[in-house]
Amino acid sequence: MRRFRLPASTLQQKTLLYATKRPYSTTPPHPTDIWQTEPKPGDTVYVGMSGGVDSSVTAHLLKSKGLNVQAIFMRNWDTRDEHGECPSEADWRDVQKVCQKLDIKCHQINLVKEYWTNVFAAALDEYSLGRTPNPDILCNQQIKFGVLMSEINKRLGSAEWFATGHYARTKRRGNQTELHKGVDDKKDQSYYLARVGSHKLNNVVFPLGSLIKNKDVRKIAKDVGLHNAEKEESMGICFVGERRRFDRFLAEYLPQTPGDIVSRDGHNLGTHQGLFSKTIGQSAGIPGWQQKWYIYNKDIATNRMLAVQDR
């Protein structure tokens, strides 16, 4: 097990791991409301690019409007996989290739230390308590729309605009910028942006907010000739990847404390390898039963997971 010491600050941050408010406004529209403020031709827009098709099309759409587009690749994790390669290295190569195709500048900003302290450590703290955080929410709040924006201003000059490939929209209501759902219900990502402050969204644009992923975005990528037009979506948490079992990954950082999995009436059904190894609603993984058992609660005091056969 890797030695890991949680910084005291994570205890203050753990409440930030959850989106406790609604991800979009339910306030009735007003005649003076303005959907997403648009940059003017010649304005500089820094685009957060990951190497995927969404951020690549975002950069293309903005450049096609006559904007000075510059790509920002944010390196958050540097641990190598079983093949000896850090996944972010392949993503960086994709970003460079797209930028060459679009003829735009690209920059890489290393935020590994900041991500470890503000996101990963805070997530581990929650897992150690048997809870299931959402690191992506905290990453958007603390890193992408926080530290990264500050670093852009410090290293590259004051940014007039910042853009990402999120499927979300913004609306100006007086002096406030509201976050709204994207048009594509299947891809809407407003939930993951729900804790980004309104003031941070004032100069942010989401060009994909009014588009449909499979109908519009991939077609645009193909028409432009982007090499990653058919690149699969990254569905895993960035610091875990998609080929690793999450519970085994966490076991490298958190102590494994086996305990019992019991039914509502206290019947012992099996064992778990640590309260972090399963989340509420997940299959308990108990063999020999025709009907599956699901975790519905965790008892930290007794280190037990409670399971039921009906959700």
Side-chain angles (χ1 to χ4, degrees):
M1 184 184 74
R2 302 184 186 182
R3 293 183 178 276
F4 181 80
R5 183 178 181 181
L6 293 173
S9 60
T10 59
L11 295 177
Q12 299 172 351
Q13 295 172 341
K14 65 183 181 182
T15 56
L16 302 178
L17 285 163
Y18 304 92
T20 55
K21 62 181 181 181
R22 294 185 66 85
Y24 55 92
S25 172
T26 56
T27 307
H30 187 275
T32 60
D33 289 349
I34 302 174
W35 280 109
Q36 188 164 292
T37 306
E38 294 287 340
K40 299 176 182 178
D43 285 352
T44 296
V45 183
Y46 291 103
V47 180
M49 292 187 65
S50 63
V53 64
D54 294 333
S55 57
S56 299
V57 170
T58 294
H60 161 71
L61 291 175
L62 292 172
K63 185 183 179 183
S64 67
K65 294 182 178 181
L67 302 172
N68 173 27
V69 177
Q70 297 190 42
I72 302 294
F73 178 76
M74 182 175 62
R75 183 183 288 273
N76 293 335
W77 198 253
D78 60 4
T79 300
R80 297 183 180 276
D81 61 19
E82 60 271 23
H83 301 296
E85 178 173 321
C86 179
S88 64
E89 292 177 354
D91 292 334
W92 171 233
R93 289 195 292 270
D94 281 335
V95 169
Q96 291 175 300
K97 193 170 182 178
V98 169
C99 290
Q100 184 177 19
K101 173 71 176 178
L102 299 179
D103 191 25
I104 61 176
K105 293 181 180 180
C106 59
H107 313 272
Q108 179 178 168
I109 296 181
N110 190 317
L111 296 177
V112 171
K113 180 181 178 181
E114 291 81 0
Y115 186 88
W116 179 282
T117 302
N118 295 307
V119 178
F120 185 59
L124 284 183
D125 187 38
E126 290 295 288
Y127 285 119
S128 70
L129 296 174
R131 296 194 283 257
T132 305
N134 190 322
D136 290 338
I137 292 175
L138 190 58
C139 179
N140 283 324
Q141 180 191 30
Q142 297 289 321
I143 305 299
K144 187 169 292 183
F145 294 88
V147 177
L148 178 61
M149 288 178 132
S150 297
E151 287 298 311
I152 290 174
N153 290 330
K154 184 191 305 181
R155 304 184 191 190
L156 304 175
S158 181
E160 296 176 273
W161 296 91
F162 181 63
T164 70
H166 284 101
Y167 288 82
R169 294 178 295 167
T170 58
K171 176 181 284 188
R172 293 286 295 183
R173 185 185 292 272
N175 296 324
Q176 296 292 315
T177 299
E178 298 178 344
L179 176 67
H180 287 252
K181 294 176 62 177
V183 170
D184 190 340
D185 286 334
K186 293 182 179 179
K187 286 295 299 177
D188 171 53
Q189 294 171 310
S190 57
Y191 171 77
Y192 299 99
L193 299 167
R195 298 204 66 87
V196 177
S198 173
H199 66 287
K200 292 290 184 68
L201 297 174
N202 288 339
N203 295 315
V204 170
V205 288
F206 301 117
L208 306 189
S210 59
L211 301 180
I212 305 297
K213 172 70 176 269
N214 293 329
K215 177 184 176 182
D216 302 318
V217 177
R218 290 199 183 278
K219 182 180 184 303
I220 293 173
K222 292 177 184 177
D223 291 344
V224 176
L226 298 181
H227 77 285
N228 57 358
E230 294 294 341
K231 184 176 181 178
E232 294 184 5
E233 295 184 63
S234 176
M235 302 301 289
I237 298 176
C238 68
F239 52 74
V240 181
E242 299 183 44
R243 295 190 296 272
R244 305 179 66 184
R245 278 186 48 173
F246 192 48
D247 57 342
R248 292 178 181 174
F249 171 81
L250 289 178
E252 297 178 11
Y253 297 90
L254 298 174
Q256 296 188 63
T257 308
D260 295 329
I261 301 177
V262 300
S263 63
R264 282 178 173 173
D265 58 8
H267 179 68
N268 196 320
L269 301 171
T271 60
H272 63 78
Q273 297 305 308
L275 292 178
F276 63 81
S277 62
K278 297 183 185 298
T279 191
I280 304 298
Q282 184 178 350
S283 171
I286 301 172
W289 293 81
Q290 185 174 3
Q291 190 175 359
K292 282 187 175 183
W293 288 85
Y294 298 93
I295 303 300
Y296 78 90
N297 202 359
K298 299 178 182 181
D299 189 332
I300 298 178
T302 61
N303 191 37
R304 297 194 307 176
M305 289 186 181
L306 310 178
V308 291
Q309 284 187 304
D310 55 336
R311 293 207 219 187

